[in-house]
Amino acid sequence: MADERIVVCPGSYDPVTNGHLDIIARASRVFDTVVVGVVGQAIRKSTSLFTPEERLGFLEDATDELANVRIEIFSDLLVEFARKQGATAIVKGLRAISDFEYEFEMNQLNRKLAPDIESVYVIASPDYSFLSSTGVKEMATFGADVSDLVPAPVAAALTDRVSRG
Ligand code: ADP
């Protein structure tokens, strides 16, 4: 397709939540191809619970039904990753006010680095606007049930991981 609209949805996805999946599914209905970019080397968050390969596996499993979605691990600059994928835009989910300040700053930086790549923001669904990977990990650590917040294999892996410390 000559004018195929490819977008990237970047994130740490440590692990993927139903909130992430909602954004990915909604993006997949608007754009031709969605490349979910899993951050391999996190700068913002120093330690991750799951390896990039595990995070990719959860995402592949959870997006299996979405034919125009694929998952990649990236460790370069986001705009470089987007360019390599042939993407014209970066899609980010926006939760309650907390995401805004960070996204505003990243938007200015990315715009300076790559004015040709647009950033598009998808507002979180009310059901998921307070859902974060960090929150889910905290809940699982204290034995709370996270089965309606993340896909089933993720809930099982979380229980397993936190029980082993
Ligand atoms: P987190 O902040 O949960 O660790 P990531 O760094 O993996 O998430 O975020 C990837 C993208 O998904 C970001 O654009 C983030 O704002 C968005 N996102 C995360 N959780 C949600 C949610 N519950 N609803 C909508 N967007 C979300």
Side-chain angles (χ1 to χ4, degrees), residues 9-24 26 37 39 44-45 55 90-96 99 102-103 120-125 127-135 137:
C9 280
S12 351
Y13 302 104
D14 184 43
V16 62
T17 68
N18 291 344
H20 293 128
L21 292 171
D22 180 55
I23 300 295
I24 295 166
R26 287 162 62 197
V39 177
R44 188 161 59 112
K45 297 163 193 162
R55 290 182 262 142
I90 296 165
V91 172
K92 305 290 308 269
L94 268 193
R95 287 164 292 196
D99 277 336
Y102 176 77
E103 294 299 345
V120 176
Y121 300 91
V122 178
I123 300 289
S125 302
D127 284 353
Y128 306 127
S129 46
F130 293 98
L131 178 55
S132 70
S133 298
T134 305
K137 285 184 278 192

Side-chain angles (χ1 to χ4, degrees), residues 16 22 43 51 63 66 76 91 98-99 107 110-111 140 157 162:
V16 62
D22 180 55
I43 292 170
T51 66
T63 58
L66 302 171
D76 40 4
V91 172
S98 54
D99 277 336
N107 183 294
N110 287 335
R111 183 190 300 271
V162 297

